[in-house]
Amino acid sequence: MAHRRTPRIYAPRRVPQSFSPAYTAMRLIPLVPALLASGALGLVSELPALSEEMRQKARHASQSMGDDSSERSQRLFFDEPGLDTLFVRFLAGSAQAVSHVAKTVMRARIALEPDSPMGKRAAQALPLVPKRAYDTLMTGMLSIGTAVGYIHSGPVHAQVIADSAEASSIDPPAGHATAALRRWEAPQSLGDLCADIDDMYWSMTDGNTVKITRVGEGEARRWLVSLPGTAHMDFESNANPADMESNIREMIGIESNMRSGLVMAIHDAMKRDGLNPQEYATEPVLICGHSQGGLIATVLASMNPKTAGLDVQVILATGAPARRYRIRPDVTMVSLAHDQDVIPSMDGTPARQADHRVTIGRKLVRPRRQPLYYAHSSATYTETARQLERMVKVNPWGRTASAVAALQDFLPQDDEVTRVMFYEIWQDVTTPTSFETFDPVVTLAKDDSVTPVEFDVSWPPSSSRATVSVASSDSDEGALLTSTVNDFPSLERTPNDE
């Protein structure tokens, strides 16, 4: 019997509005008792009335239960693709409910105390409270994190730390560790671009490391950028700007230190190569970005090159939560997103694209430990990129092959000269603020040049239907899936020729 080809469509991701919040709660409730028990044991381990031996046993038990709960949670989300989207929507809906209460309190303050400091602050903040649930969640996290002093990043800096055109080594920034760089060669394939990212996660620098490669000369000159993603998940700011603050800012269209630092580094690389500032926004750029790196690349590609400061023409995004932004019509984008990777769903949108990008999926087999880390790992995405290149060699027709070819055209050709530079991007850490919660909301600098796409995902289901075009290869483990979706009638519908 011939193997039946079936597209892998996960309803909770595609049409999350078809699932009520109660469904999400019921799926997650079994995890709650173990999490509460682990937390309770953690509190018990800090009680001074207990002996050190008993506290140590309580810490060990809490750690063991916490690890077990983490593994159970990861297995649940890995085995049920789409639960991640529902979970983010559940959090966003909860944040919006709190927001409604806060707005009622602000209106009361404005009515009862219009001339008081709190009344004036409420009058400033009320129009700025987001209307969309996801924006409310992200803005609340950023505002509260700033108000309580966890988020306190300062100015951002970028400095070259290695240059293949320099005969001598370049000293790192003052007081910073020397980078452990291993991949000095110019990338020769899309897999090499991804492997460069995987290597830079282990560069051991204080800030974030970025690899910039100049390919060709004169009119054929172009730039390749390998951009790692989030370096740490702590909410408290440190020297590395690839942090949670940058994630939140980019999600809601506010420029982050990581984005401005990246533009600063690329501009400096162009300056070192002899370009004038007037040429920076006209140079063709390819960005390969993992996770947060792919999100930043998509945001830059959605902007006018003069506004962005860069002409991002092609993107290879891996595991990026970048569905909220519509790239320019002249941009080619290939987005790799593993079926079991939860990070692409962290942007709060359904698995539908608002533009012409090509999305490639891959179904993974769950490993024994830490399945979500495996699904989002840059090393796993490097292997997926190499599989994609092999696939288009066998089947060099259709939109997927055309998009991959556009990316490969940026790679060095025979006898082309290249110049490889590494940059470290870091930020100053300022003294935590003592603002009250409303103040950070008022001072958020919204970037009008970046507008997230709005999807109609309200519960209960609406009568509108999405237009879906799907083509897939075999649905076995490791198979690649090409999916293109158009939910906007104003955009041209491209027939599926895969």
Side-chain angles (χ1 to χ4, degrees), residues 269-345:
M270 293 178 176
K271 179 181 178 181
R272 292 175 69 89
D273 208 51
L275 274 68
N276 298 318
Q278 295 79 8
E279 300 176 279
Y280 294 167
T282 62
E283 292 286 295
V285 177
L286 177 154
I287 298 181
C288 176
H290 174 245
S291 193
Q292 180 193 101
L295 169 61
I296 291 175
T298 307
V299 172
L300 290 171
S302 71
M303 302 167 64
N304 183 286
K306 292 184 177 179
T307 304
L310 296 174
D311 185 12
V312 179
Q313 295 187 2
V314 287
I315 298 173
L316 176 60
T318 61
R323 295 190 292 252
R324 300 194 86 212
Y325 297 98
R326 182 186 289 114
I327 58 177
R328 304 191 311 270
D330 60 323
V331 176
T332 299
M333 178 174 176
V334 174
S335 177
L336 306 183
H338 296 145
D339 293 9
Q340 289 79 16
D341 186 0
V342 302
I343 299 302
S345 299

Side-chain angles (χ1 to χ4, degrees), residues 401-415:
S402 299
V404 171
L407 269 67
Q408 292 173 331
D409 287 344
F410 268 68
L411 298 171
Q413 307 302 315
D414 294 339
D415 301 325

